[in-house]
Amino acid sequence: MSEVILRTDGVKMHFPVTAGIFKHQVGVVKAVDDIGVELKRNETFALVGESGSGKTTLAKAIFRLYKPTAGHIWFEGTDISGLDDLKLKPFRRQIQMVYQDPTSSLNPRKRLKEIIEEPLIVHGFRNPDQRLRRVRELLEMVELPPEFLWRYPHNLSGGQRQRVGVARALALQPKLLILDEPTSALDVSVQAKIIGLLRKLQKELGLTYLFITHDLSLVRNFADRVGVMYLGHLVEVAPAAELYTNPRHPYTRALLSTIPTVHASEQDMLPERTPLKGEIPSPAYQPSGCPFHPRCPLAMPQCIVEMPQMDAVAPAVQVRCHLYGDSV
Ligand code: SF4
């Protein structure tokens, strides 16, 4: 599991803020700022954080829906951050995305056969019989019956629609799947089935997952490693088990302390409840120093003026916090 399939280096996604009829630039939204992260082949790497932390924007930059403002994205050793559409085409087959809302991501006027075979047509699979065979295979992979080929999305339940989203994402045999909150629109019992399906497919097909979620209770049993994002910055990266038993960054501790638990024994494993103060600020108005300082219960004078670096604090654990900077 140690081979790196994807690496980002200093990735930034900044969006100009304009005003007036001449659209003068009056500011900049730093949605993603200086992200360096590595995904290992066959692992599930979860990106977590509140809404507005920049995780979906980072995922879209990796998927190259956005061209990064700065930095590099290496996929299997090739820098794809600056490639034009033509040169990106082979990489588009390798990296696919499953979206949050299966209802809006499937064309309601098309039958499942057309929806699932669309990426095959776009990528030049001309033989209709071969395409039909592949669509049948994909339906089987996501555990939907073959007669569903001729159904429309509105004939399916939410869980079935998300299975179709997964089938379409797998059509081109990608190596990396970006799962953008794939279960957040589903009931809890359906969520568990989709997670079970994703686990099975990962094992069978050797997939790597980048799993975007705000639901930390899901990550615990699904992810191998976790990256915690706050206001466009990574603030902690750790193996999932380590993050849950020994969260270091004050923001990670606050996020974990909000997870609802059923058993008292589970509650004992989580940090003491330290609810987050206030709301995440707009990325257009980033606080000085450590961006978390206005909400941090442990903030020190240094935190107001100096941005902490990402430091290795234990094997495979990195934290961006002045509390740990000198302890390496
Ligand atoms: Fe809190 Fe300071 Fe650490 Fe930021 S650097 S998380 S403000 S202690």
Side-chain angles (χ1 to χ4, degrees):
M1 210 208 255
S2 58
E3 189 198 341
V4 172
I5 185 167
L6 183 122
R7 180 164 66 85
T8 73
D9 182 12
V11 167
K12 297 183 182 186
M13 275 307 317
H14 294 181
F15 299 95
V17 180
T18 56
I21 49 171
F22 295 113
K23 301 222 173 286
H24 290 305
Q25 184 171 338
V26 293
V28 62
V29 174
K30 295 180 178 178
V32 166
D33 214 16
D34 199 14
I35 297 281
V37 74
E38 281 184 352
L39 268 63
K40 295 169 188 166
R41 201 178 290 279
N42 297 149
E43 80 166 338
T44 298
F45 185 90
L47 268 182
V48 303
E50 293 163 284
S51 300
S53 59
K55 44 195 198 309
T56 295
T57 306
L58 176 62
K60 286 181 175 173
I62 290 173
F63 191 42
R64 280 300 319 275
L65 284 178
Y66 297 144
K67 186 170 188 288
T69 313
H72 301 277
I73 298 165
W74 303 86
F75 181 76
E76 294 194 319
T78 303
D79 184 359
I80 62 168
S81 51
L83 298 184
D84 59 27
D85 281 347
L86 193 64
K87 290 191 177 139
L88 263 180
K89 205 169 176 186
F91 296 98
R92 295 229 181 271
R93 292 180 61 161
Q94 310 285 348
I95 307 174
Q96 288 289 313
M97 195 145 172
V98 176
Y99 295 92
Q100 176 176 7
D101 182 358
T103 308
S104 60
S105 65
L106 304 179
N107 187 332
R109 285 189 290 272
K110 290 189 174 174
R111 295 178 193 271
L112 300 196
K113 174 188 171 286
E114 296 167 275
I115 289 172
I116 298 173
E117 76 176 350
E118 199 170 11
L120 297 170
I121 295 171
V122 170
H123 282 266
F125 290 75
R126 297 226 170 97
N127 185 317
D129 294 334
Q130 275 180 4
R131 285 204 306 267
L132 183 59
R133 261 202 305 280
R134 179 70 181 144
V135 175
R136 285 187 196 282
E137 216 174 83
L138 288 160
L139 273 186
E140 194 181 329
M141 271 186 203
V142 298
E143 298 166 358
L144 288 176
E147 61 270 21
F148 273 40
L149 270 180
W150 312 110
R151 293 203 180 176
Y152 289 95
H154 66 262
N155 298 132
L156 309 181
S157 68
Q160 288 168 339
R161 279 197 284 267
Q162 195 52 293
R163 285 171 193 267
V164 175
V166 173
R168 189 174 57 175
L170 292 176
L172 296 165
Q173 298 180 301
K175 294 176 180 168
L176 169 62
L177 272 196
I178 299 174
L179 308 164
D180 186 9
E181 304 262 13
T183 59
S184 62
L186 306 172
D187 291 342
V188 175
S189 61
V190 183
Q191 279 184 1
K193 287 181 185 155
I194 296 292
I195 292 291
L197 173 73
L198 290 168
R199 269 212 195 95
K200 183 197 85 160
L201 291 170
Q202 183 173 42
K203 210 168 164 193
E204 285 174 4
L205 305 174
L207 295 164
T208 304
Y209 290 153
L210 176 60
F211 180 55
I212 316 288
T213 185
H214 64 275
D215 185 348
L216 275 110
S217 55
L218 263 185
V219 168
R220 186 177 189 168
N221 296 316
F222 184 48
D224 298 297
R225 291 188 305 136
V226 184
V228 182
M229 282 189 76
Y230 186 77
L231 267 187
H233 302 275
L234 268 177
V235 298
E236 182 159 1
V237 175
E242 175 89 17
L243 190 99
Y244 278 85
T245 52
N246 187 13
R248 267 103 168 171
H249 195 280
Y251 180 58
T252 312
R253 295 181 68 83
L255 279 182
L256 284 175
S257 74
T258 61
I259 297 180
T261 52
V262 178
H263 301 295
S265 57
E266 280 181 316
Q267 188 54 58
D268 291 345
M269 291 171 67
L270 292 173
E272 198 183 320
R273 287 195 180 264
T274 49
L276 277 166
K277 283 192 285 180
E279 305 225 328
I280 189 167
S282 159
Y285 303 99
Q286 297 245 359
S288 61
C290 169
F292 188 55
H293 85 255
R295 303 172 81 191
C296 180
L298 302 174
M300 309 168 281
Q302 180 191 13
C303 307
I304 299 167
V305 289
E306 198 183 319
M307 171 66 135
Q309 298 303 307
M310 200 68 170
D311 286 314
V313 301
V317 180
Q318 293 171 288
V319 180
R320 186 188 293 278
C321 175
H322 290 308
L323 295 170
Y324 298 92
D326 298 328
S327 62
V328 185

